[in-house]
């Protein structure tokens, strides 16, 4: 099925949820509201003509000072049976950065959602194990947000500060040649 | 061998500070022997962090052959005497690198391999340590992204030269 046809089908099925359909170089994105994301994904997954059985990627996006609402969660879907693709973008506002998890539909979304939570601070409701996946567990802040300083905050992460202190302390025992 | 030869043995100086008495007696300093034995069997800890580790492994392969320098990778910090920091050090892995170094027995050496281990490289970001020398006493820096195996071997030879020049590191010093 052509991507634009898929977008039309989603629009027909969920007329109130679809905000916009954009197309760039034959890649179609469907921008949706976040409230019925599970229902939309379930429909895309289960419908025999769509059958999106593979979640190729799940990531976040931050549109600080460029778009409202600020965040997006992006779902890249692929159907192995029909060999077609679609991209879903769910809008997530800054004051309530929560969205339902899709792990019940694609189990592989587990770590993707953890990564998105780790780097953007988006909370996935109903996620079985929502911990940080890349950064240390006691890290402060969400580095892929646009207002996060590139070189990190002034205060060094406590784990690395410990290493620096230890190195300083052990220096006197080293060989001075 | 006559009596005169014993009191005035025919010592032959083969290099500065090393004399041999044929057939099988060698006179030299402890410094020289210790340094020579250390540099001739340098056992690096296998510790790859990023893409530089691929070049490090290549240098160990038969094509480049580190064994000819007496360098054999050792998978235990307790039995190795050289830590090769090959690749980007993230702040999350830094405590582990430091622990591996602390587990190594003296004498121990550190080689920072690649731009990332030397200075942080292109990753001037929140998650990357800006150079291994922030928390490790680095002996040799090998620049490159990644350095070719030839450059890496050059770095190891530089470390061997450094060990050759050491004085009294075998004595009680702390």
């Amino acid at each position: 099925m052509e991507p634009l046809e898929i977008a039309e089908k989603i629009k027909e099925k969920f007329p109130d949820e679809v905000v916009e359909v954009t197309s760039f170089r034959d890649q179609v994105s469907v921008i949706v509201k976040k409230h019925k994301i599970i229902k939309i994904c379930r429909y895309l997954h289960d419908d025999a003509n769509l059958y999106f059985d593979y979640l190729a990627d799940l990531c976040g996006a931050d549109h600080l000072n460029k778009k409202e609402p600020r965040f997006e969660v992006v779902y890249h879907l692929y159907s192995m049976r029909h060999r077609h693709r679609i991209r879903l973008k769910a809008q997530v506002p800054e004051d309530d950065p929560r969205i339902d998890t899709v792990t019940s539909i694609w189990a592989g979304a587990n770590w993707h959602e953890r990564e998105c939570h780790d780097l953007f601070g988006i909370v996935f409701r109903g996620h079985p194990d929502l911990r940080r996946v890349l950064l240390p567990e006691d890290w402060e802040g969400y580095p892929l947000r646009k207002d996060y300083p590139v070189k990190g905050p002034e205060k060094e992460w406590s784990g690395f500060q410990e290493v620096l202190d230890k190195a300083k302390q052990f220096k006197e025992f080293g060989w001075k040649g | 061998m006559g009596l005169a030869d014993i009191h005035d043995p025919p010592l032959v100086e083969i290099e500065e500070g090393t004399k041999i008495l044929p057939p099988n007696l060698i006179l030299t300093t402890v410094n020289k022997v210790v340094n020579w034995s250390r540099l001739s069997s340098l056992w690096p800890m296998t510790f790859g962090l990023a893409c530089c580790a691929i070049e490090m492994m290549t240098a160990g392969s038969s094509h480049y052959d580190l064994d000819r320098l007496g360098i054999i990778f050792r998978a235990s910090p307790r039995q190795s005497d050289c830590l090769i920091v090959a690749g980007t050090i993230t702040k999350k892995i830094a405590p582990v690198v430091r622990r591996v170094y602390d587990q190594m027995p003296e004498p121990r050496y550190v080689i920072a391999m690649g731009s990332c281990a030397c200075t942080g490289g292109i990753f001037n970001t929140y998650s990357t340590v800006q150079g291994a020398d922030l928390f490790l006493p680095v002996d040799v820096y090998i620049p490159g992204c990644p350095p070719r195996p030839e450059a890496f071997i050059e770095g190891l030879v530089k470390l061997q030269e450094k060990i050759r020049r050491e004085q009294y590191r075998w004595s009680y010093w702390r």
Side-chain angles (χ1 to χ4, degrees):
Chain A
M1 206 183 284
E2 285 302 306
L4 277 170
E5 286 177 53
I6 300 167
E8 278 309 309
K9 278 197 97 168
I10 301 171
K11 228 175 178 175
E12 262 172 44
K13 182 90 179 173
F14 303 97
D16 298 335
E17 292 301 305
V18 176
V19 179
E20 197 188 348
V21 177
T22 60
S23 175
F24 180 73
R25 292 190 177 157
D26 299 331
Q27 296 182 10
V28 175
S29 301
V30 182
I31 301 171
V32 297
K33 291 174 189 165
K34 68 171 184 174
H35 305 290
K36 285 188 184 165
I37 188 70
I38 287 198
K39 278 190 179 165
I40 297 169
C41 287
R42 177 59 73 185
Y43 167 68
L44 287 168
H45 181 268
D46 290 354
D47 190 273
N49 292 323
L50 300 172
Y51 206 77
F52 285 101
D53 50 353
Y54 179 50
L55 177 74
D57 194 12
L58 188 156
C59 53
D62 184 2
H63 300 288
L64 180 68
N65 302 332
K66 292 207 172 133
K67 264 192 207 171
E68 269 308 315
R70 183 177 166 187
F71 296 110
E72 267 174 357
V73 176
V74 188
Y75 305 81
H76 297 88
L77 304 176
Y78 181 67
S79 169
M80 300 225 191
R81 183 187 283 174
H82 302 300
R83 296 179 189 166
H84 54 208
R85 290 175 188 274
I86 194 84
R87 185 185 294 127
L88 276 186
K89 292 180 178 177
Q91 295 178 325
V92 180
E94 187 179 1
D95 49 358
D96 181 28
R98 288 186 294 174
I99 190 167
D100 289 326
T101 174
V102 293
T103 43
S104 54
I105 301 160
W106 300 284
N110 190 323
W111 280 26
H112 289 104
E113 288 183 346
R114 278 178 68 185
E115 186 190 8
C116 190
H117 167 69
D118 192 355
L119 301 173
F120 286 99
I122 293 165
V123 177
F124 290 87
R125 266 179 305 197
H127 191 281
D129 181 26
L130 198 63
R131 290 176 294 138
R132 284 186 184 271
V133 67
L134 295 171
L135 292 165
E137 285 185 18
D138 55 345
W139 193 273
E140 283 168 22
Y142 303 103
L144 282 192
R145 287 188 175 188
K146 295 288 181 201
D147 50 3
Y148 191 88
V150 177
K151 291 185 185 178
E154 291 282 309
K155 192 170 162 284
E156 189 60 84
W157 169 55
S158 61
F160 185 57
Q161 191 59 50
E162 254 173 54
V163 174
L164 292 177
D165 295 344
K166 205 165 140 191
K168 213 173 183 183
Q169 186 193 334
F170 286 0
K171 205 170 183 182
E172 60 171 302
F173 302 110
W175 170 252
K176 286 167 196 82
Chain B
M1 193 181 276
L3 199 63
D5 292 337
I6 293 169
H7 291 296
D8 189 15
L11 283 172
V12 182
E13 185 157 14
I14 55 166
E15 60 174 83
E16 200 191 336
T18 305
K19 291 174 182 169
I20 57 169
L21 178 65
N24 53 11
L25 186 71
I26 302 172
L27 296 175
T28 186
T29 59
V30 178
N31 261 333
K32 270 209 155 175
V33 175
V34 169
N35 290 346
W36 167 79
S37 61
R38 276 178 188 163
L39 70 90
S40 305
S41 64
L42 202 60
W43 286 1
M45 172 74 204
T46 52
F47 199 76
L49 291 169
C51 30
C52 280
I54 305 293
E55 298 297 301
M56 184 176 74
M57 287 182 268
T58 310
S61 71
S62 52
H63 194 99
Y64 292 97
D65 192 15
L66 284 182
D67 292 16
R68 69 201 153 105
L69 305 171
I71 295 166
I72 298 164
F73 285 104
R74 195 75 188 159
S76 163
R78 300 284 187 202
Q79 293 164 0
S80 51
D81 40 24
C82 170
L83 178 66
I84 298 169
V85 185
T88 321
I89 314 162
T90 57
K91 283 178 187 169
K92 196 177 177 183
I93 201 76
V96 183
V97 181
R98 181 69 211 191
R99 173 171 290 192
V100 169
Y101 176 76
D102 287 339
Q103 283 178 336
M104 285 164 55
E106 283 284 346
R108 53 193 174 179
Y109 307 93
V110 179
I111 293 179
M113 181 186 179
S115 302
C116 297
C118 291
T119 64
I122 58 169
F123 303 109
N124 192 0
T125 62
Y126 63 94
S127 60
T128 312
V129 178
Q130 300 300 305
D133 48 6
L134 287 180
F135 64 99
L136 289 176
V138 179
D139 290 286
V140 176
Y141 297 86
I142 308 170
C145 190
R148 280 195 57 86
E150 290 91 334
F152 175 59
I153 292 168
E154 169 78 11
L156 287 167
V157 171
K158 280 268 184 291
L159 179 62
Q160 289 186 336
E161 283 170 12
K162 192 173 177 177
I163 297 170
R164 202 190 292 276
R165 288 197 306 271
E166 278 176 354
Q167 300 283 327
Y168 307 113
R169 195 163 181 177
W170 42 271
S171 61
Y172 182 82
W173 51 271
R174 66 177 180 187

